[in-house]
Amino acid sequence: MTTDSIRHFRRIRDVSPDELRFIINKAIEIKQRPDAWSTALTGKTLAMLFQKTSTRTRFSFEVGMTQLGGHAIFAETRLTNIGIADLADEGLVISRYVDVIMARLKQSTDLMTLASASEVPVINGLDEKYHPAQALTDLMTIKEKLGRTADLKIVYVGIANNVSNSLAMAAVYSDAQFVLCVPEKDPDSDVPEHLAFLQESSRYSENPDIAEAVKDADVIYTDTWINLEYFTDPSFAEEKERRINTFTPYQVNEEMLALTGKDTLVMHCLPAHKGYEVNETVLYTPNSVVFDQAENRLHAQKALLLWLLNKL
Ligand code: CP
Ligand code: NVA
């Protein structure tokens, strides 16, 4: 069987702007009328492969499959033979058992290898370069809260990383204005061709000046300055200290919100490191939609699963 025609969701650019809009609108509809899809994936199975920890991605995909009438298998890759065998071979075998795969692998190159070998759609559940399922949810949440995405100003503050890469692409696809307000970029998340694509759009800009960047922002978004697997890693302690010093002026707090001149939404993919990239007061103010955003992972991913399996 040829695997060339299989639709994957490895990154936002695997779908067109129209397709992204369609999935987002369906996600909102599914959230309102979940019962209408309660048997849509009866008999279907999702394999969930994790090399990294997760709360939201794991629970929302697994519950999503249950609510669609299907089934999900959770596997930590260290308890499979993926680490000691050829990844493509193992991916191909898994794809012969299941209807769709979601994988959180540390390396984007491994996710690409898995997708190339798989005979069923592969969803990226986060790698060091992208987090497309998160960005899908983020644009759904913005549309749900503000009624539209076009011409809104979405400002990402903190460190440029996997989350900001996918968010930027989804925002530009959704006709929003995206501003990256960062003092530096996580080198692991660098993808020159992704950046080149964004830089072609008049909707994408970078501005490290906080006051200028956040003025008139409809949304301020932030993420951890240190990726999950390094936060408590002793070998990363020195770099962690350096980053805290560099990024502290970029903390999302009341002073930053006061600079927008608007009733700005605060978003975060979670988990948050309170007192670092966001302070506790702002995380729990009414402007913060982080918990609705986290819930929406469930609804957005149900729409994504249905779309990839041609059930919408
Ligand atoms: N936002 C997100 O992907 O959360 P988890 O790491 O808990 O899955
Ligand atoms: N940037 C973070 C996001 C976690 C959801 C990480 O990669 O660990």
Side-chain angles (χ1 to χ4, degrees):
M1 170 176 176
T2 171
T3 54
D4 292 347
S5 57
I6 296 168
R7 299 300 303 267
H8 298 295
F9 196 64
R10 302 162 300 182
R11 52 188 184 175
I12 292 294
R13 270 192 298 153
D14 284 341
V15 298
S16 69
D18 279 349
E19 287 169 335
L20 186 76
R21 257 189 293 277
F22 177 79
I23 300 167
I24 288 170
N25 288 337
K26 282 290 172 189
I28 293 171
E29 205 181 315
I30 290 166
K31 183 173 181 178
Q32 289 161 350
R33 294 191 303 120
D35 291 349
W37 285 273
S38 62
T39 58
L41 296 188
T42 300
K44 304 283 185 199
T45 303
L46 166 72
M48 307 194 302
L49 309 176
F50 282 89
Q51 250 177 9
K52 283 183 40 159
T53 55
S54 169
T55 304
R56 280 142 289 273
T57 305
R58 190 255 164 108
F59 280 88
S60 55
F61 270 106
E62 186 159 345
V63 173
M65 280 305 283
T66 304
Q67 292 186 359
L68 294 169
H71 176 67
I73 298 173
F74 169 74
E76 277 185 74
T77 54
R78 69 184 177 89
L79 299 178
T80 70
N81 282 332
I82 286 172
I84 56 171
D86 184 88
L87 173 62
D89 289 351
E90 296 296 279
L92 171 59
V93 170
I94 293 168
S95 78
R96 294 268 174 104
Y97 301 133
V98 304
D99 302 281
V100 53
I101 296 171
M102 186 276 294
R104 173 170 283 192
L105 305 182
K106 288 181 185 167
Q107 298 295 321
S108 188
T109 47
D110 284 344
L111 194 277
M112 296 295 171
T113 300
L114 175 69
S116 300
S118 173
E119 293 182 355
V120 299
V122 171
I123 299 168
N124 184 355
L126 175 82
D127 60 31
E128 87 284 21
K129 306 219 182 289
Y130 301 114
H131 199 358
Q134 180 68 54
L136 174 69
T137 303
D138 299 336
L139 270 296
M140 175 207 168
T141 306
I142 292 168
K143 178 145 196 207
E144 182 189 42
K145 297 287 175 193
L146 300 177
R148 66 189 166 96
T149 55
D151 299 325
L152 294 179
K153 183 175 180 185
I154 301 171
V155 185
Y156 180 95
V157 179
I159 189 166
N161 64 6
N162 42 11
V163 168
S164 66
N165 277 348
S166 292
L167 181 69
M169 193 63 72
V172 166
Y173 264 36
S174 303
D175 296 330
Q177 294 290 338
F178 181 87
V179 182
L180 187 72
C181 177
V182 301
E184 59 182 73
K185 302 182 179 186
D186 177 355
D188 288 346
S189 70
D190 188 38
V191 193
E193 51 131 12
H194 169 88
L195 186 61
F197 186 93
L198 285 171
Q199 284 172 335
E200 273 175 21
S201 170
S202 60
R203 298 188 174 279
Y204 177 85
S205 62
E206 298 184 10
N207 186 353
D209 184 291
I210 297 167
E212 280 177 20
V214 305
K215 188 172 183 310
D216 296 326
D218 296 288
V219 176
I220 290 182
Y221 195 120
T222 193
D223 181 25
T224 180
W225 299 329
I226 297 134
N227 283 349
L228 303 183
E229 67 268 44
Y230 302 121
F231 202 82
T232 52
D233 179 345
S235 69
F236 206 77
E238 205 176 308
E239 173 61 9
K240 180 176 172 180
E241 204 48 43
R242 189 195 68 78
R243 287 197 191 178
I244 290 168
N245 291 330
T246 305
F247 289 95
T248 291
Y250 289 78
Q251 182 190 72
V252 178
N253 54 30
E254 302 90 314
E255 289 76 45
M256 185 185 286
L257 283 185
L259 295 171
T260 68
K262 267 197 164 176
D263 202 18
T264 306
L265 293 188
V266 173
M267 297 182 72
H268 190 308
C269 60
L270 301 182
H273 293 114
K274 289 179 263 192
Y276 294 90
E277 74 271 8
V278 61
N279 79 355
E280 193 155 346
T281 314
V282 163
L283 194 68
Y284 300 114
T285 53
N287 288 57
S288 164
V289 295
V290 300
F291 296 105
D292 290 344
Q293 182 186 356
E295 178 196 325
N296 283 344
R297 293 291 302 275
L298 171 66
H299 311 297
Q301 288 157 191
K302 284 168 74 177
L304 177 64
L305 289 162
L306 290 166
W307 183 78
L308 286 171
L309 295 174
N310 299 312
K311 299 290 182 188
L312 287 180

